[in-house]
Amino acid sequence: MTPAPLLLRGRQPADLPVLWRWMHQERSPAWQQWDAPYFHSGRPPSDLILEAYMERANAQPPNPHLRILDLGGQCIGQVSRSEEAPAGGGWWDLGILIFDPAYWGGGLGTQALRLWTAATFAGTEAQVLTLTTWGGNERLIRAGERAGYHECARIPQARRWQGQRWDSVKLACLRPDEPAGQPAVQMGQP
């Protein structure tokens, strides 16, 4: 049996309960132990109820800098990007989040990062893309390296987590030279 393809797509109404659960309802979800845990530490789950979350989310226009990771029609995470100042300078920082640990360790993060990197180069004037993490997030560092990123900065002992000091790590990927006639990157529906 062929595994379902991983797609990047815009948020759909059916994704909202999944996003609400992982972002607002779960108590200490595993992803928070890796995604800048020093910011999440001690923060209680949100008291935002699903209906209020859905109302707020539906009132916002689609965000072109946030995409859902879709595996076989199921929302398993999201990717994001933000432009570093000054606007138009060509530097974007990317993020990736896979919620359920059942999807970790099988290459989906690397695949998602490759797709998001290609989509960001295709859809922006980015010259350089970066990933920012901490020294303990070895999976993201390896995924970045497999996706063509290289460590470009390490700030020693910049983060404190569980009584230990960790480096802040930044990886970068430069816009590749594109041969003439290169096909556009394919993503799921907006």
Side-chain angles (χ1 to χ4, degrees):
M1 178 177 218
T2 305
L6 182 68
L7 300 173
L8 303 181
R9 61 168 172 77
R11 188 189 72 216
Q12 299 173 351
D15 300 325
L16 294 177
V18 175
L19 294 169
W20 172 76
R21 176 181 155 224
W22 286 104
M23 303 295 282
H24 296 282
Q25 198 59 30
E26 289 282 323
R27 292 193 179 277
S28 301
W31 67 263
Q32 284 185 354
Q33 301 299 309
W34 303 103
D35 181 48
Y38 30 84
F39 292 132
H40 302 292
S41 182
R43 188 184 328 168
S46 169
D47 59 359
L48 186 65
I49 62 171
L50 176 61
E51 291 76 17
Y53 172 75
M54 290 179 69
E55 184 177 317
R56 186 169 47 177
N58 284 325
Q60 297 174 357
N63 184 343
H65 305 302
L66 186 69
R67 289 283 185 243
I68 296 297
L69 295 177
D70 178 309
L71 185 64
Q74 180 181 354
C75 169
I76 65 164
Q78 62 186 11
V79 290
S80 61
R81 64 182 173 218
S82 59
E83 188 174 17
E84 296 287 340
W91 176 8
W92 290 76
D93 196 60
L94 306 187
I96 178 172
L97 176 57
I98 297 177
F99 301 125
D100 190 338
Y103 295 108
W104 297 355
L108 289 173
T110 301
Q111 186 180 354
L113 188 54
R114 285 180 178 141
L115 289 169
W116 194 224
T117 297
T120 300
F121 280 133
T124 71
E125 296 295 320
Q127 177 59 32
V128 63
L129 305 179
T130 56
L131 302 170
T132 305
T133 192
W134 59 294
N137 194 347
E138 295 173 359
R139 280 191 302 267
L140 179 59
I141 293 169
R142 282 193 309 269
E145 290 169 345
R146 286 191 299 263
Y149 287 73
H150 302 278
E151 187 174 316
C152 64
R154 184 173 285 261
I155 296 81
Q157 301 182 17
R159 302 292 184 199
R160 184 172 181 78
W161 171 239
Q162 294 186 329
Q164 185 174 345
R165 284 283 178 189
W166 296 91
D167 296 348
S168 178
V169 179
K170 192 168 286 281
L171 295 102
C173 179
L174 292 174
R175 178 180 286 275
D177 293 331
E178 298 177 42
Q182 183 74 13
V185 175
Q186 298 249 328
M187 291 196 342
Q189 293 291 324

